[in-house]
C-alpha cells in the first residue's frame, strides 16, 4: 500500500498557482518525498524530491512541513500542459516506489 | 543525455504466447525498475535490477521475469500471456543510490487478444 494520501482531484485556473497536498504521516526519518506526474498514457515524469528542506527547481517547489508528515507541491503558474495525474511517493534507498492513485489536476482556461 | 528508451512501443500478442520487452537506461544509470500500469490496478512495481542483480521484487507471478545485462540494459519477459496482462509496461532508470531519483521511459503498450 502507498504510504501517502492525496486528494483524488483538483482544479486550478490557468496562470494561477496550483498547490497539491500530500499526507505522509507515517514517513520514516530517512525516506524522501518524491513527486512525479503522468500525462495521459505517457511515462511518469520526475518533478522534484526532498528530505527535510524545501526544494525548488525550474518546474516546481516542494514545501515539507517541519514534522515531515505532509508536503505541498507548488506549480507557480499553472498552464494547460500541467493537466496530469500527480503522484506523491515516500521512498527510501533500496525500496521500490509505491504509487497510489495520485491527484488528477485539471488546469482550466 | 538521451532518456530512457523502450522497445517496442506497441505490441499485440495472443493468449499463451510469450513476450520480451526491452529497456535502455540513461547512460550511467545502474538501476532499472519495471512497472505495470492498468486502469484497474494503477502503477504496480514488478522488479528492480541493480548491477545485473535483482534487488527488489513485486507481487507478480513467476510468469513475469527479467534480467539486466552488463551494460545496464534490461529485458522483461512474460510467458503464457493472459488477457489480464494487457497493460502499459514502464521502465525507469536511476543511479540506484541513496537519492533514489528514477526516470521513466515512454512505456510499451501490450495488448493480449
Amino acid at each position: 500500500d502507498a504510504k501517502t494520501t492525496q486528494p483524488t482531484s483538483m482544479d486550478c485556473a490557468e496562470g494561477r498557482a496550483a498547490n497539491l497536498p500530500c499526507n505522509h504521516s507515517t514517513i520514516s526519518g530517512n525516506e524522501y518525498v518524491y513527486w512525479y506526474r503522468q500525462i495521459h498514457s505517457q511515462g511518469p515524469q520526475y518533478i522534484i524530491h526532498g528530505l527535510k528542506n524545501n526544494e525548488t527547481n525550474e518546474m516546481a517547489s516542494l514545501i515539507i512541513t517541519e514534522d515531515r508528515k505532509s508536503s505541498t507541491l507548488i506549480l507557480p503558474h499553472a498552464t494547460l500542459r500541467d493537466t496530469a495525474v500527480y503522484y506523491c511517493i515516500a521512498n527510501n534507498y533500496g525500496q521500490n516506489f509505491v504509487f497510489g492513485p495520485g491527484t488528477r489536476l485539471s488546469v482550466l482556461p | 543525455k538521451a532518456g530512457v528508451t523502450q522497445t517496442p512501443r506497441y505490441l499485440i500478442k495472443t493468449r499463451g504466447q510469450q513476450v520480451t520487452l526491452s529497456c535502455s537506461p540513461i547512460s550511467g544509470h545502474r538501476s532499472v525498475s519495471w512497472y505495470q500500469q492498468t486502469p484497474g490496478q494503477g502503477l504496480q512495481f514488478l522488479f528492480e535490477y541493480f548491477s545485473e542483480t535483482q534487488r527488489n521484487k513485486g507481487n507478480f507471478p513467476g510468469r513475469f521475469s527479467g534480467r539486466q545485462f552488463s551494460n545496464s540494459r534490461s529485458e522483461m519477459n512474460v510467458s503464457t500471456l493472459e488477457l489480464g496482462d494487457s497493460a502499459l509496461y514502464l521502465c525507469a532508470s536511476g543511479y540506484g543510490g541513496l537519492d533514489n531519483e528514477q526516470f521513466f521511459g515512454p512505456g510499451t503498450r501490450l495488448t493480449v487478444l
Side-chain angles (χ1 to χ4, degrees):
Chain A
D1 288 350
K3 299 177 186 178
T4 61
T5 55
Q6 300 175 250
T8 303
S9 63
M10 293 181 64
D11 292 341
C12 176
E14 189 178 18
R16 295 294 188 105
N19 297 286
L20 292 93
C22 178
N23 181 287
H24 33 80
S25 58
T26 61
I27 196 170
S28 65
N30 48 6
E31 284 184 313
Y32 286 77
V33 177
Y34 291 81
W35 283 85
Y36 284 79
R37 72 181 182 184
Q38 188 174 26
I39 297 168
H40 182 63
S41 292
Q42 298 181 19
Q45 177 189 23
Y46 167 80
I47 301 173
I48 198 167
H49 74 286
L51 184 63
K52 296 179 184 177
N53 300 321
N54 298 337
E55 302 287 344
T56 295
N57 63 20
E58 64 279 3
M59 287 183 68
S61 294
L62 173 60
I63 309 297
I64 303 174
T65 58
E66 196 168 336
D67 62 9
R68 301 211 327 123
K69 292 186 177 182
S70 66
S71 60
T72 301
L73 178 75
I74 301 172
L75 307 178
H77 306 286
T79 71
L80 299 179
R81 288 179 297 179
D82 292 322
T83 292
V85 177
Y86 287 76
Y87 299 100
C88 169
I89 302 160
N91 181 261
N92 192 7
Y93 169 69
Q95 294 176 348
N96 53 278
F97 278 19
V98 178
F99 286 81
T103 295
R104 185 171 297 277
L105 175 69
S106 297
V107 180
L108 308 174
Chain B
K1 264 188 184 178
V4 178
T5 58
Q6 293 186 245
T7 56
R9 292 293 312 279
Y10 302 91
L11 204 50
I12 299 175
K13 291 285 188 178
T14 56
R15 278 180 299 174
Q17 287 187 307
Q18 75 164 25
V19 68
T20 299
L21 311 181
S22 181
C23 172
S24 292
I26 291 171
S27 177
H29 285 183
R30 295 165 65 189
S31 166
V32 173
S33 298
W34 289 89
Y35 296 82
Q36 180 197 66
Q37 186 172 30
T38 60
Q41 300 297 319
L43 262 161
Q44 292 188 288
F45 172 76
L46 281 155
F47 29 67
E48 181 207 2
Y49 286 87
F50 180 81
S51 293
E52 301 179 66
T53 301
Q54 188 178 88
R55 185 160 73 169
N56 277 311
K57 188 176 188 304
N59 190 26
F60 277 81
R63 300 186 296 108
F64 293 81
S65 62
R67 59 178 174 168
Q68 186 180 33
F69 302 96
S70 58
N71 61 359
S72 293
R73 191 177 69 84
S74 177
E75 290 180 346
M76 69 162 280
N77 185 77
V78 188
S79 63
T80 320
L81 284 166
E82 300 176 0
L83 295 179
D85 297 333
S86 294
L88 181 67
Y89 289 87
L90 292 155
C91 154
S93 78
Y95 289 110
L98 188 63
D99 214 343
N100 200 17
E101 204 172 324
Q102 294 184 26
F103 296 89
F104 284 80
T108 293
R109 171 77 57 187
L110 172 65
T111 301
V112 181
L113 302 176

